[in-house]
Amino acid sequence: MTDSNSSKRPTIYDLAQIVGTSPTAVSSVLNGSWKKRRISQKLADKVLKAAQDNGYTVNIQASVLRRERSNIVGMILPKYDNRFFGAMAEEFETRARAAGLFPVITCTQRDPALELSAAREMLSYQVDYLICTGATDPDQITDLCRGAGVKTLNLDLPGTKAPSILSDNFTAARDLTRVILDACERDFGVVEPLLFIGGRSDDHNTRERRRGFLEAHSERSISVPDERLITNGYAPEKARHTLTALDHVPHGIFVNSTITLEGVVFWLQSLPPERAAEIRYGSFDWDPFGALLSQSVGMVRQDVGALLDLTFQTMQSGQDAAEMQLVPCALVMPKF
Amino acid sequence: MTDSNSSKRPTIYDLAQIVGTSPTAVSSVLNGSWKKRRISQKLADKVLKAAQDNGYTVNIQASVLRRERSNIVGMILPKYDNRFFGAMAEEFETRARAAGLFPVITCTQRDPALELSAAREMLSYQVDYLICTGATDPDQITDLCRGAGVKTLNLDLPGTKAPSILSDNFTAARDLTRVILDACERDFGVVEPLLFIGGRSDDHNTRERRRGFLEAHSERSISVPDERLITNGYAPEKARHTLTALDHVPHGIFVNSTITLEGVVFWLQSLPPERAAEIRYGSFDWDPFGALLSQSVGMVRQDVGALLDLTFQTMQSGQDAAEMQLVPCALVMPKF
DNA sequence: AACAAATGCTCAACCGATGGAGCATGATTG
DNA sequence: CAATCATGCTCCATCGGTTGAGCATTTGTT
């Protein structure tokens, strides 16, 4: 039934002994190449039963060591602390398994040094492919991996040396801006430049979103003064302090991330209710609670499924060129 | 500078050739055992430089295969979609790296079959230790791993065959219930049984929280009718439908998870404002947005840091007995 | 019956890193 | 000056699974 004496895990050599055959036969039965190797059904059955009975699990390390491909796909991810990255991780795992691959994810805390050492760790695992999500310096990682013959792909933030897949930040930001402008006009009869808050000006996505933000304003011939564009980081406290310190906050606010939104909402709650009621905001990235506040007029929800479909498609096609592919976002409107 | 010809990654054999020494010397320099092996500083420097120049990374597969310990610690996790599990994953990775171990996390979608196959996969990776977070059937996994000589630990949900580390759900739920009862009395002058919503009655944590909930009521001699205890799952839509269908919802609601809270808040937003203003809720598990709604009177925030400190401590002590250790939670009160 | 072809399996080398055993040197000691 | 010891390194077997080559034996063909 179970293993008799040894506390160690059974190997193909143990199973071979039990069944009375060679390790080669056992290996080929267990890895599925037995048909090609002309092993009889009868022997295969015996081996499978023995494996079952003895709780055999293949030693991936040994297996990968011998083969040329590891079937391991790595993903590095900045954080697990918001819905977007959480969904990316889950969907990545699901798709990898569906494709018969082994996913390995590690999170890098938005720290460039950690990103690099994480990439190195992935190489140690002999990953066949590395997906760099939201990496600060993806090109550096691409270089590192290319030296080891491993292809990479940049997800969510673009690089210049590997394929990049990201959301169409510009279009989504433009559409979201329109919605906020509409809401301000509808609810308060006001046509004025919105406040853009959150993100960093050196960040590709922030730049694209700001471009969409400005585009929607210029469509309506609204000019946006520089002080309405505040990109001093993602941190919630920063946003709250900024808003508190501002002597005039417009009716409409474009919030550049859910993490910044925390600060905005905190600030909102500190206002007298009649003042809070005069605010409308839209946020880039979706959060179930953020969407439910009454001042929320829309949220951009990135299409994680499509991003990852395209990622796997690109990966499996072997495409290696530094092309950028954009995926449309959904604009989620309040349900009531 | 970089590797000259081969697209393959350099091995210790390549470096040995480059430096003009033996693979053993290279290996011992790179893994730190060179002092003990009486390799000269001069040779060590040459090897390190060659490794640097050629972008060498150790082949974990080969290394693990040869050694008896892998230094890999596995964690299985139900989901990445809320702050609690996200924080668990991040803190686990941080602590593992700090201890010189390699973390591998995989998420199992609350699916018992996936949990088991994930555990099997972890064994394939030769993990030295497996942490089962929120597993539906942890004992089965413990059995599987024990057969392979791998110790496990149950985190967040207890098992009966391995050490279990979890939050003190009872105390936290009792304290949270007190706070909600207080709020209802203070704000509305009402003393009545609260509504308990969310979770499953076969789930250990839900049972403990319900026990705390009932304890707080009985302290005040409030009896709770059965229909006030609704544990028909965590899904947000379920909670919303239940609340909508209820002909009388009390002023105070005990929400058993942030995922259920989504449904509660959705329902709240659908009420006329004057009706919504008559509700107070507290929630088990913390979410930044959930905490900011005006009806929120408190949230239990599990102490992820302490949970993982204790986890690593237990792991490193080698303690193997099926003991249960409880970690106190924090009760986060609204800030305004 | 003679030969070819298919069937069913085993052998042995190998993947890359590791660690015990061992072998030259040069330095130290009685 | 032989014996002892420390120093600095190399050799080789090994971990467990994979794969090309190869070897009996059986089956099919003319």
Side-chain angles (χ1 to χ4, degrees):
Chain A
M1 210 64 195
T2 58
D3 70 301
S4 43
N5 44 349
S6 69
S7 64
K8 299 292 290 178
R9 325 179 25 201
T11 69
I12 54 167
Y13 298 92
D14 300 326
L15 296 185
Q17 189 123 38
I18 292 167
V19 176
T21 183
S22 69
T24 303
V26 173
S27 171
S28 65
V29 168
L30 293 172
N31 70 25
S33 68
W34 59 282
K35 201 75 222 277
K36 179 164 47 180
R37 281 188 150 267
R38 299 187 309 229
I39 303 293
S40 66
Q41 182 75 51
K42 203 178 126 204
L43 179 56
D45 289 344
K46 281 203 287 183
V47 168
L48 287 171
K49 181 165 183 336
Q52 193 79 31
D53 290 350
N54 293 75
Y56 174 84
T57 44
V58 67
N59 182 326
I60 295 241
Q61 321 292 355
S63 171
V64 166
L65 179 59
R66 186 50 172 77
R67 285 176 306 166
E68 71 304 352
R69 301 203 50 199
S70 69
N71 290 334
I72 301 177
V73 217
M75 173 182 253
I76 65 174
L77 200 71
K79 301 282 288 176
Y80 292 117
D81 74 349
N82 66 64
R83 303 299 277 242
F84 176 59
F85 289 133
M88 293 285 254
E90 283 192 22
E91 303 250 350
F92 168 69
E93 284 196 8
T94 307
R95 278 167 177 73
R97 282 187 218 291
L101 304 170
F102 298 96
V104 176
I105 305 180
T106 194
C107 105
T108 54
Q109 308 284 353
R110 301 186 196 283
D111 172 350
L114 246 180
E115 282 171 13
L116 212 57
S117 70
R120 228 182 287 276
E121 191 178 308
M122 291 289 178
L123 291 179
S124 292
Y125 282 116
Q126 314 296 109
V127 293
D128 287 334
Y129 202 87
L130 180 61
I131 296 165
C132 304
T133 314
T136 328
D137 190 353
D139 286 347
Q140 199 181 359
I141 299 177
T142 302
D143 282 341
L144 176 70
C145 291
R146 198 185 304 263
V150 172
K151 290 181 186 168
T152 64
L153 182 148
N154 304 311
L155 191 54
D156 183 48
L157 273 182
T160 65
K161 303 187 166 189
S164 298
I165 294 179
L166 40 155
S167 289
D168 183 352
N169 289 286
F170 167 77
T171 305
R174 188 197 58 197
D175 295 350
L176 179 63
T177 307
R178 285 178 185 160
V179 166
I180 309 171
L181 285 168
D182 286 346
C184 290
E185 189 164 359
R186 167 173 36 85
D187 295 349
F188 314 118
V190 173
V191 175
E192 57 167 358
L194 308 180
L195 182 70
F196 183 104
I197 191 164
R200 280 183 312 222
S201 48
D202 60 342
D203 166 323
H204 172 275
N205 292 351
T206 295
R207 282 202 309 273
E208 281 298 289
R209 293 172 193 171
R210 186 167 59 183
R211 200 161 66 80
F213 176 83
L214 292 174
E215 167 77 11
H217 280 80
S218 89
E219 281 171 358
R220 304 185 181 197
S221 311
I222 307 172
S223 80
V224 182
D226 281 353
E227 66 268 24
R228 290 278 164 97
L229 293 163
I230 302 176
T231 50
N232 56 357
Y234 290 102
E237 313 79 48
K238 274 249 175 74
R240 188 163 62 89
H241 287 135
T242 302
L243 287 166
T244 308
L246 235 52
D247 36 272
H248 174 68
V249 178
H251 290 279
I253 307 180
F254 181 109
V255 188
N256 192 24
S257 77
T258 49
I259 192 90
T260 302
L261 182 58
E262 287 178 32
V264 173
V265 171
F266 200 172
W267 166 78
L268 262 182
Q269 305 284 6
S270 72
L271 297 179
E274 66 280 6
R275 176 81 186 86
E278 291 177 345
I279 300 291
R280 294 293 177 268
Y281 71 81
S283 159
F284 213 103
D285 276 347
W286 175 87
D287 181 281
F289 293 107
L292 288 170
L293 297 180
S294 56
Q295 292 91 349
S296 167
V297 295
M299 290 194 134
V300 171
R301 187 169 192 173
Q302 301 189 57
D303 191 341
V304 174
L307 284 166
L308 279 156
D309 281 342
L310 198 52
T311 296
F312 274 75
Q313 209 177 295
T314 305
M315 178 176 92
Q316 281 159 343
S317 77
Q319 198 256 314
D320 200 14
E323 262 173 38
M324 197 156 106
Q325 297 181 79
L326 294 185
V327 172
C329 302
L331 187 53
V332 183
M333 309 293 285
K335 296 215 194 71
F336 36 82
Chain B
M1 210 63 194
T2 57
D3 70 301
S4 44
N5 45 348
S6 69
S7 65
K8 298 292 289 177
R9 322 178 28 201
T11 69
I12 53 168
Y13 298 92
D14 300 326
L15 296 186
Q17 188 123 39
I18 291 167
V19 175
T21 183
S22 70
T24 303
V26 173
S27 172
S28 64
V29 169
L30 294 173
N31 69 25
S33 67
W34 60 282
K35 200 76 223 272
K36 180 163 49 182
R37 280 187 150 266
R38 299 189 308 230
I39 301 293
S40 65
Q41 182 74 51
K42 202 178 129 205
L43 179 56
D45 289 344
K46 280 203 286 183
V47 167
L48 287 171
K49 178 163 185 338
Q52 193 79 30
D53 289 350
N54 294 75
Y56 174 84
T57 45
V58 67
N59 182 325
I60 296 240
Q61 326 290 356
S63 172
V64 165
L65 178 58
R66 184 54 172 73
R67 286 175 306 165
E68 70 304 352
R69 303 202 49 199
S70 70
N71 291 333
I72 301 178
V73 217
M75 173 181 254
I76 66 174
L77 200 71
K79 301 281 288 176
Y80 291 118
D81 74 349
N82 66 65
R83 303 299 277 241
F84 177 58
F85 289 132
M88 293 285 255
E90 282 191 22
E91 302 250 351
F92 168 69
E93 284 197 7
T94 307
R95 277 168 179 73
R97 282 186 219 290
L101 303 170
F102 297 96
V104 175
I105 305 179
T106 195
C107 106
T108 55
Q109 307 283 353
R110 299 185 197 284
D111 172 350
L114 246 180
E115 282 171 12
L116 212 57
S117 70
R120 227 181 288 275
E121 191 178 306
M122 291 289 178
L123 291 179
S124 292
Y125 282 115
Q126 313 297 108
V127 292
D128 287 333
Y129 202 86
L130 180 61
I131 295 165
C132 305
T133 314
T136 328
D137 190 353
D139 287 347
Q140 200 181 359
I141 298 176
T142 303
D143 282 341
L144 176 70
C145 291
R146 198 186 305 264
V150 172
K151 290 182 186 165
T152 65
L153 183 148
N154 304 310
L155 190 55
D156 183 49
L157 273 182
T160 66
K161 303 187 166 189
S164 297
I165 293 178
L166 38 156
S167 288
D168 184 351
N169 289 286
F170 168 77
T171 304
R174 188 197 59 197
D175 295 350
L176 179 62
T177 308
R178 286 178 185 159
V179 167
I180 309 172
L181 286 168
D182 287 346
C184 290
E185 190 165 358
R186 166 173 36 86
D187 295 350
F188 315 117
V190 173
V191 176
E192 58 168 357
L194 308 180
L195 181 70
F196 182 105
I197 192 163
R200 282 182 312 219
S201 49
D202 59 342
D203 166 323
H204 171 275
N205 292 352
T206 295
R207 283 202 309 273
E208 281 298 290
R209 293 171 193 172
R210 186 166 60 183
R211 201 161 66 79
F213 176 83
L214 293 174
E215 168 76 10
H217 280 80
S218 89
E219 281 170 359
R220 304 184 181 197
S221 312
I222 306 172
S223 80
V224 182
D226 280 353
E227 65 268 24
R228 289 278 163 98
L229 294 162
I230 302 175
T231 50
N232 56 356
Y234 289 102
E237 313 79 48
K238 274 245 175 78
R240 188 162 62 89
H241 287 134
T242 302
L243 287 165
T244 308
L246 234 53
D247 36 273
H248 175 67
V249 178
H251 291 280
I253 307 180
F254 181 110
V255 188
N256 193 24
S257 76
T258 49
I259 192 91
T260 303
L261 182 59
E262 287 178 32
V264 173
V265 172
F266 200 172
W267 166 78
L268 262 182
Q269 304 285 5
S270 73
L271 296 179
E274 66 280 6
R275 176 81 187 86
E278 290 177 344
I279 299 292
R280 294 292 177 270
Y281 71 81
S283 159
F284 213 104
D285 277 346
W286 175 88
D287 180 280
F289 293 107
L292 288 171
L293 297 180
S294 56
Q295 290 91 350
S296 167
V297 296
M299 291 195 134
V300 171
R301 187 170 192 172
Q302 300 190 59
D303 191 342
V304 173
L307 284 166
L308 279 156
D309 282 342
L310 197 52
T311 297
F312 274 76
Q313 209 177 294
T314 306
M315 177 177 92
Q316 280 159 343
S317 77
Q319 198 256 317
D320 200 14
E323 263 173 37
M324 197 156 105
Q325 297 181 79
L326 294 185
V327 172
C329 300
L331 187 53
V332 182
M333 309 293 285
K335 296 214 194 72
F336 37 83

